[in-house]
Structure formats: C-alpha cells, structure tokens
C-alpha cells in the first residue's frame, strides 16, 4: 500500500497527511482532483483508507513510533518519516477528534443506579424455576432531563452487560 505513496515527494506527502488529518478532525479532507494524475480512483481510496485507519489506530491505541514505522515498512524512509511527523505533530488534535466522535454517539450520562437480586422460584408455566434475576434501575440524564430505566436480567444477560461495559471502559481508557 505504501509503495504508491512514493509517487509523490516527501513534502507533498506531508501536505497530504495533514489534509487527511483535517478530514479526520471534521475539516476539509484532501481533494481527489489534486491527485487524479498520480493515482487511480481505487488507489486513491485505498490510500485514504490506509492513512485514516493508521492515524485512528495509532492515536486510539497509543501505538509507539516503532510500531507505526513497522506499518509503514513498504514506504521509503523519507515518506515514513513524513507520515510519522504529521502523526506526532497532530496527535492531540486527532485524539480530541476521536473523543468528540465517541462522545457524540450519545448525550446520555448515567447519574445513579440501584440493583436487587431476586430468585424466581416458579412461574405460571413451570412449578420449580429457581432462577436468579437481577433487577437493575438506572437514572440516566439526557438533554437535561432525568430518565429512569429499569430492566430485569438473567445470568447470561448480566454477563453480556458486564462484558460490554468492560469493553467500553477499555476503549474510554485508551482514548484518555
């Protein structure tokens, strides 16, 4: 993938990478027409996808320079250094853009929660059930209003919820 980047000078590579980061941060991305004589449409889309993914991955996972350079091993030294210099110089800006994108998924925030563990001994269909159930009450603030959410979860659903929350927490910690 990176061998096609060597079709432009290292200086133009820096400019292209800055424009890719601009696009990542919600500003004007690079324009295809500026590079139409250099790359085919397919190559252009692959290159943009590669650079965008590289910047997101490097910042989102706090990848050290050595690993970034390993991902750029197909590129010549000057182009790899150009990409790395843009990444280093705009690291905080990319991080803020990733955080903004993540937090814009929902404006809801958890204010409080309460839980109770219940044991369902039987139901109208089964005389002996003995199933533990978790009753979870969440107080969620969304657009200034407090909204209560109540749910009852069985053992598998509690495990799924815990796994999802742990994964979400891991992503948040990586973005900090």
């Amino acid at each position: 993938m990176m061998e096609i980047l060597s079709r432009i000078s290292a200086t133009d590579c820096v400019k292209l990478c800055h424009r890719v980061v601009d696009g990542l941060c919600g500003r004007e991305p690079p324009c295809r027409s500026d590079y139409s004589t250099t790359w085919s449409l397919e190559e252009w889309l692959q290159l943009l996808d590669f650079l965008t993914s590289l910047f997101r991955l490097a910042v989102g996972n706090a990848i050290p320079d050595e690993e970034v350079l390993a991902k750029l091993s197909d590129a010549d030294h000057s182009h790899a250094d150009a990409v790395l210099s843009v990444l280093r110089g705009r690291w905080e800006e990319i991080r803020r853009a990733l955080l903004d994108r993540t937090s814009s998924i929902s404006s809801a925030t958890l204010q409080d929660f309460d839980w109770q563990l219940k044991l369902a001994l039987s139901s109208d269909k089964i005389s002996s059930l003995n199933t533990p159930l978790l009753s979870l009450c969440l107080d969620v603030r969304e657009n200034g209003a407090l909204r209560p959410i109540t749910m009852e979860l069985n053992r598998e659903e509690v495990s799924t919820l815990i796994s999802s929350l742990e994964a979400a927490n891991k992503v948040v910690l990586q973005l900090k």
Side-chain angles (χ1 to χ4, degrees):
M1 170 52 52
M2 291 305 297
E3 68 275 354
I4 66 172
L5 192 57
S6 62
R7 293 184 196 161
I8 59 175
S9 69
T11 304
D12 286 340
C13 179
V14 169
K15 291 176 186 174
L16 173 64
C17 288
H18 276 295
R19 294 290 304 275
V20 169
V21 172
D22 286 346
L24 239 171
C25 295
R27 292 185 296 278
E28 189 177 345
C31 187
R32 159 85 173 113
S33 61
D34 294 342
Y35 301 95
S36 61
T37 59
T38 309
W39 299 298
S40 69
L41 178 60
E42 184 179 340
E43 289 172 330
W44 170 252
L45 293 174
Q46 287 175 348
L47 182 62
L48 278 185
D49 183 55
F50 175 80
L51 290 172
T52 302
S53 298
L54 177 70
F55 290 138
R56 281 185 182 148
L57 181 72
V59 174
N61 295 329
I63 294 177
D65 290 355
E66 299 78 34
E67 285 185 48
V68 173
L69 287 172
K71 293 183 182 303
L72 299 169
S73 61
D74 291 348
D76 63 57
H77 186 69
S78 61
H79 286 78
D81 284 347
V83 173
L84 192 59
S85 71
V86 172
L87 178 62
R88 281 188 203 131
R90 299 194 59 190
W91 184 279
E92 189 58 32
E93 190 178 354
I94 296 168
R95 190 183 75 76
R96 268 187 266 115
L98 293 175
L99 283 172
D100 289 347
R101 183 173 292 137
T102 302
S103 66
S104 70
I105 292 171
S106 174
S107 62
T109 56
L110 179 65
Q111 296 297 298
D112 196 13
F113 70 95
D114 191 21
W115 62 274
Q116 292 179 343
L117 187 59
K118 302 174 182 179
L119 184 62
L121 298 174
S122 64
S123 72
D124 59 346
K125 295 186 170 96
I126 302 173
S127 62
S128 178
L129 196 58
N130 290 330
T131 303
L133 297 172
L134 176 72
S135 178
L136 182 60
C137 301
L138 306 173
D139 291 330
V140 176
R141 184 167 307 278
E142 188 169 23
N143 299 326
L146 196 61
R147 185 171 56 111
I149 300 172
T150 304
M151 58 188 90
E152 198 168 79
L153 307 166
N154 63 29
R155 185 175 301 211
E156 295 83 28
E157 293 168 329
V158 170
S159 293
T160 302
L161 176 64
I162 290 171
S163 296
S164 298
L165 291 173
E166 286 173 343
N169 186 49
K170 184 178 178 183
V171 168
V172 169
L173 290 175
Q174 288 176 345
L175 291 174
K176 283 187 176 181

